[in-house]
Structure formats: C-alpha cells, structure tokens
Amino acid sequence: MWLYVTRSNNQPNNVAAYYLDAIEGYGGCPVDLVTDLGTENGIMAAIQSFFRDDPDSHRYVPSPRNQRIEAWWGFFRKSNSTWWINFFKDMVEGRVVDLTSELEMECLWFCFSELLQKVLDEVKEHWNTHRIRGSRHDTVKGRPDSLYYLPELHGATDQFLLPITEVESNYARTHVVESDADNDYQEYFQYVSGICGLGQPEDWREALERYKIILQFAYNGST
C-alpha cells in the first residue's frame, strides 16, 4: 500500500505519517492492523486504536508470523536493493562520501532520495500488477490491484475498510504525529542546484554528478 524512501526505518513518526497518508488516500482504515513488535509501529498502533475506538484493533505478532512480507523483502533485496547497497558502499570505500560528515550525508539524501523513490514506485507498480498463481498454501490467486480494488470479482467483499472523517485524520496528524523540522541543508542544496542549473537526476550517474557538483560548490564556493 505504501513503499517510501525514508531516512530511518525505526522512526515511529515516519511510519505513522505513511499510515495516515494511506488512510486519507484510500478513504478509511482497516478493521484490524497487524504488525511486528518493532518500536517504530507504536504511534501507528495508537492511531489505529483511536480510529476504531478499540485497543484490540491492533495486534503485535512476532516477525515469523509475517512470513509473506519477510519473504517479499528477501525478493526485493535480491532484485533491487542489493545493487544500491553495493553502490553506496563503493562510494564510501572510494572516499566519495564521508559517513561522519553531516553535510555529505545530507547531500547524499538530496541527490539520491527522489531517484530511489522512483525505483520503489516502479517496484510497487510491478508487484501490484503481477499475477499471483494459485498454490496449495493459503494464497489467493490473481493480481494484487484487482484483488484489492475489485474484490467482488474474486468472491470477496470490500467491507473491511472503515470510513474515517477528515476531522479524525487531521486530529491524529496534528496532535499525535510530530512533523520533521525544516532542514537548512536541503534548502541550501536546492539553492545551489538553481545556481548551477541542476535538474532532477534520471539515473545514478546523473545523481552522482549532481552530488559532486553541489559538494564542490559547498566546499569551494564554485564549481
């Protein structure tokens, strides 16, 4: 339902914000929400219970109970993320990026985050439109998008999405989820990009070149 690039995978506010984005996008919350025991899920769990007015509408389960999503992450790593992990490792080993430098880490985020999000969007689109074959396991066959948006065609129902009002959603977003503070680095990099005529990178080569140009400007005052 969502697949986002984020600075950290254990920030409860980020996960809760993505959950609210999904709630607002789909027009309601699920009857039940099941997550693993990670602390990053705490705020999302609280919001789900608030929406349902039922503390039992969210359940924590051990990671082995989430075998399908764990298997999916294994698939994703093999097919996509391993290449990027090795790419960034090469940047570190080649001293292109210093992990102890806040400036360089922020510049890395500025130059690569939107490109990585584009990759994730393509992965999501591919996965949601591929066909799941029937098996002897407890698996529903069909295409995920069709199963979700047209459940009646597959002998199911769409009665598991409970409407949430805009007032409830806004209350949770403003009173429960803490927003990220403004980032001076990102504003500066945007300013430098404008001066240097740098557009959004279309691939890793353009993103890497953008990274080098911005850092050269930041350190030396020119390109």
Side-chain angles (χ1 to χ4, degrees):
M1 299 183 73
W2 71 73
L3 195 59
Y4 290 136
V5 174
T6 184
R7 290 171 178 266
S8 172
N9 65 351
N10 60 3
Q11 288 292 330
N13 284 298
N14 290 349
V15 176
Y18 301 149
Y19 169 76
L20 286 174
D21 288 343
I23 293 301
E24 294 166 1
Y26 291 105
C29 76
V31 173
D32 292 307
L33 180 64
V34 180
T35 69
D36 64 23
L37 300 170
T39 56
E40 70 275 7
N41 296 317
I43 297 178
M44 177 174 62
I47 295 174
Q48 166 73 10
S49 298
F50 163 69
F51 284 157
R52 291 290 322 283
D53 193 23
D54 179 5
D56 295 326
S57 63
H58 170 267
R59 289 181 291 125
Y60 287 111
V61 298
S63 293
R65 290 280 302 277
N66 291 330
Q67 291 182 359
R68 288 183 181 175
I69 189 60
E70 296 297 335
W72 189 89
W73 284 120
F75 153 79
F76 174 70
R77 179 163 186 137
K78 290 179 182 178
S79 61
N80 284 275
S81 64
T82 293
W83 187 92
W84 285 103
I85 290 171
N86 291 334
F87 172 75
F88 290 122
K89 283 182 177 179
D90 289 343
M91 288 183 67
V92 174
E93 292 174 1
R95 298 187 178 182
V96 178
V97 59
D98 179 0
L99 298 182
T100 66
S101 168
E102 185 177 7
L103 172 68
E104 295 188 17
M105 293 299 289
E106 287 289 342
C107 190
L108 197 69
W109 173 264
F110 180 80
C111 295
F112 284 92
S113 60
E114 291 192 20
L115 178 61
L116 290 172
Q117 185 60 58
K118 180 181 177 182
V119 172
L120 291 185
D121 290 342
E122 292 171 353
V123 170
K124 177 183 174 182
E125 178 68 18
H126 171 73
W127 183 263
N128 285 343
T129 55
H130 90 292
R131 182 170 182 79
I132 301 173
R133 293 177 295 179
S135 73
R136 59 186 177 84
H137 303 291
D138 185 20
T139 301
V140 179
K141 64 180 181 180
R143 301 184 189 279
D145 271 353
S146 178
L147 292 170
Y148 182 83
Y149 290 107
L150 301 170
E152 63 277 4
L153 297 183
H154 305 275
T157 178
D158 62 355
Q159 301 302 311
F160 299 105
L161 186 69
L162 303 181
I164 298 298
T165 67
E166 184 177 351
V167 172
E168 291 173 308
S169 178
N170 288 341
Y171 180 87
R173 193 177 290 277
T174 57
H175 290 79
V176 181
V177 179
E178 294 183 9
S179 301
D180 292 333
D182 293 337
N183 189 305
D184 292 337
Y185 282 112
Q186 300 302 307
E187 293 181 8
Y188 172 72
F189 297 146
Q190 192 65 54
Y191 163 75
V192 174
S193 294
I195 291 178
C196 299
L198 302 175
Q200 287 297 329
E202 294 295 326
D203 55 38
W204 66 267
R205 293 180 180 84
E206 292 183 7
L208 181 59
E209 183 65 18
R210 188 189 199 198
Y211 170 82
K212 292 178 178 179
I213 291 174
I214 292 176
L215 279 189
Q216 183 177 353
F217 192 98
Y219 284 130
N220 303 320
S222 67
T223 57

